Amino acid sequence: MGHCQQSGRDILDPHLGRYAARTAGMTASEIRALFAVASRPEVVSLAGGMPHLAALPLEALAAQAAQLIAEDGLTALQYASAHGLPQLREQICEVMALEGVTGHPDEVVVTVGSQMGLDLVARLFCDPGDVVLAEGPSYVGALGSFAAYQAEVVHVPVDDRGLVPEGLRAALRQARNAGRRVKLLYTIPNFHNPSGVTLAVERRAEVLEICRAYGVLVLEDNPYGLLGFDGRTYPALHSLDPENVVYLGSFSKTFAAGLRVGWVLAPHAVREKLVLAAESATLCPPTLNQMIVSRYLATQDWRGQITTLREVYRERRDAMLDALEEYLPGCGWTEPAGGFYVWVKVPEGVDTRAMLPRAVAARVAYASGTGFYTNGLGSRRMRLSYCYPTPERIREGVRRLASVLDSEPALAHASAGAGPQRAALRTLAPEAV
Ligand code: PMP
């Protein structure tokens, strides 16, 4: 995608002028641009969202993969249906049932990660100029998919209880008055990326009713729903209105991201079109990887594995919140009850995007807030991930971040005489995230 950005390299690109108009919306995300630098070992990366894999039963998985190929290789290494393997689709229904979803295996389409689900749904529903509503802030990969189909994302306000229904109503009214066509509400109800907040249960029916009233389809993205730190799950939006919700799920956060196995659960008519779109994208999802996931679910203690992951992430969340409390008293932040991310508000005068190179020079990386909006907001926000580094590294990363913040020109000046003003910021968290 980098070649689609206007850059020095474009001048040398002999194909410039040939690209389809839709490539104009394809730019490297700020996070991706950061990836190379942030993954140097001396940098504490609080930037990416890489899941913790160390607790996986690697030897058992290796033996199973070898056995699959030895005993069932002629199936595992062959093309299969674009719909996904039937046994895996049944198992996916069991996984979804943990959050109240009662889908039928026929309505499930297996995808190459839920990212492909996002792409397929955008492909099916978005014409250039259509509006997609999404939380402000929202998942950067989804913003990329909508941009690739030339849809315009309009952000809906979020507070510490998730999407604000009144804000949703206002956005829909405004779009209607402007004669715009709103196709989708894209929402991450549980342990949101990047804000860390969860949509309050009592708001869920209201959000669905509003979308029904305005004739807008809901796209529910739920990769983190089983990663609540107290083991609690929330009723999926799909479970409350299955005919008007397309649901995206993934094994990336609860099992292995590198296998790239996710799924879409959609009402029958949509499902048929999804299979056709999936066929033209990949012919079929990887057969071997689907079989690895299926066998893992059938033979390993995957529920126990999720419990272990919850514990690991809870410990890291606690380390993050403790370090923020100790080192960044001038900032505000959300307090996630699950998932991977804390959304931090920095003091006035600090621009997180401009500060990032200084942070990387001080050997700490984060994702600046602007990448999670399509409208230029977010310069006083940053996303900190606690999923990958150990608690000690998290602490060290936040300590480094504090020293970077302290030497920001705007704050170095303010902190000389305005300590109480900075401390007061903490008490504002997390009003509007
Ligand atoms: N949706 C959200 C909210 C995510 O955070 C991610 C991964 N960071 C994805 C979708 C994509 O996940 P995958 O393609 O690995 O299933």
Side-chain angles (χ1 to χ4, degrees):
M1 283 202 284
H3 61 270
C4 305
Q5 265 188 312
Q6 274 301 334
S7 67
R9 237 187 300 162
D10 282 347
I11 297 161
L12 304 174
D13 183 350
H15 305 289
L16 209 64
R18 289 184 177 144
Y19 294 114
R22 76 182 74 88
T23 62
M26 294 180 180
T27 52
S29 81
E30 290 180 27
I31 292 178
R32 208 157 66 84
L34 240 182
F35 228 74
V37 202
S39 48
R40 285 199 220 122
E42 69 275 18
V43 175
V44 176
S45 180
L46 307 173
M50 287 203 298
H52 173 76
L53 297 181
L56 282 176
L58 291 181
E59 280 180 19
L61 289 170
Q64 283 189 347
Q67 196 186 7
L68 264 176
I69 293 176
E71 292 174 6
D72 227 352
L74 298 185
T75 304
L77 302 179
Q78 190 54 278
Y79 290 120
S81 151
H83 197 165
L85 298 180
Q87 191 191 349
L88 178 61
R89 286 188 283 108
E90 278 175 27
Q91 292 165 308
I92 285 171
C93 288
E94 282 171 40
V95 173
M96 290 190 294
L98 298 178
E99 290 170 88
V101 175
T102 53
H104 189 277
D106 276 357
E107 297 166 340
V108 174
V109 181
V110 178
T111 53
V112 180
S114 53
Q115 189 64 42
M116 180 181 163
L118 280 166
D119 181 87
L120 294 182
V121 172
R123 188 184 309 195
L124 289 192
F125 288 99
C126 296
D127 283 318
D130 283 346
V131 170
V132 173
L133 299 179
E135 284 110 354
S138 186
Y139 167 52
V140 66
L143 300 181
S145 294
F146 298 131
Y149 292 97
Q150 297 169 282
E152 186 193 329
V153 170
V154 171
H155 291 291
V156 177
V158 170
D159 64 18
D160 59 346
R161 295 165 64 235
L163 197 72
V164 180
E166 212 29 68
L168 174 61
R169 247 187 227 106
L172 284 161
R173 258 196 312 266
Q174 210 170 346
R176 190 166 64 183
N177 293 343
R180 305 294 303 273
R181 208 157 52 146
V182 182
K183 286 289 180 69
L184 299 168
L185 166 67
Y186 167 69
T187 179
I188 308 159
N190 303 317
F191 321 126
H192 187 266
N193 179 3
S195 72
V197 302
T198 293
L199 181 62
V201 173
E202 57 279 15
R203 283 186 182 177
R204 295 187 179 219
E206 191 179 357
V207 164
L208 290 164
E209 272 162 32
I210 297 168
C211 288
R212 275 225 172 237
Y214 280 84
V216 171
L217 183 67
V218 177
L219 177 56
E220 175 178 27
D221 189 7
N222 188 30
Y224 304 100
L226 295 177
L227 295 177
F229 300 136
D230 56 5
R232 178 171 175 198
T233 54
Y234 300 83
L237 299 178
H238 186 281
S239 71
L240 304 174
D241 191 359
E243 281 307 308
N244 199 45
V245 177
V246 172
Y247 178 97
L248 302 179
S250 175
F251 290 107
S252 288
K253 321 293 174 179
T254 51
F255 179 29
L259 290 174
R260 311 301 304 126
V261 179
W263 68 92
V264 186
L265 172 70
H268 188 76
V270 178
R271 195 276 289 160
E272 289 200 341
K273 287 200 163 39
L274 277 171
V275 172
L276 294 175
E279 218 160 35
S280 81
T282 64
L283 290 185
C284 66
T287 318
L288 175 61
N289 292 10
Q290 291 183 79
M291 289 173 77
I292 289 174
V293 174
S294 177
R295 189 149 307 188
Y296 171 74
L297 294 173
T299 63
Q300 302 291 308
D301 177 17
W302 60 272
R303 289 182 180 81
Q305 177 67 25
I306 291 176
T307 305
T308 304
L309 287 175
R310 279 181 189 140
E311 284 161 9
V312 168
Y313 294 134
R314 184 181 51 210
E315 190 191 7
R316 292 174 183 200
R317 186 271 320 255
D318 290 347
M320 173 65 82
L321 295 183
D322 288 350
L324 288 170
E325 196 74 51
E326 179 171 348
Y327 294 120
L328 295 185
C331 295
W333 53 85
T334 53
E335 298 196 352
F340 288 4
Y341 312 105
V342 176
W343 188 235
V344 175
K345 179 181 180 185
V346 297
E348 204 173 340
V350 175
D351 177 333
T352 56
R353 182 157 50 172
M355 187 176 80
L356 190 52
R358 296 189 277 280
V360 171
R363 295 172 297 127
V364 60
Y366 58 81
S368 66
T370 45
F372 302 96
Y373 291 90
T374 57
N375 57 8
L377 290 180
S379 60
R380 270 188 70 195
R381 301 289 192 279
M382 62 172 107
R383 187 192 72 179
L384 301 183
S385 313
Y386 48 79
C387 45
Y388 193 70
T390 60
E392 296 71 35
R393 294 277 285 173
I394 290 170
R395 217 181 135 69
E396 174 58 17
V398 175
R399 198 186 59 79
R400 290 178 192 174
L401 198 53
S403 70
V404 177
L405 265 170
D406 273 341
S407 47
E408 277 302 278
L411 286 198
H413 176 69
S415 60
Q421 182 198 326
R422 288 186 58 199
L425 257 175
R426 173 72 188 92
T427 61
L428 291 179
E431 22 64 293
V433 299

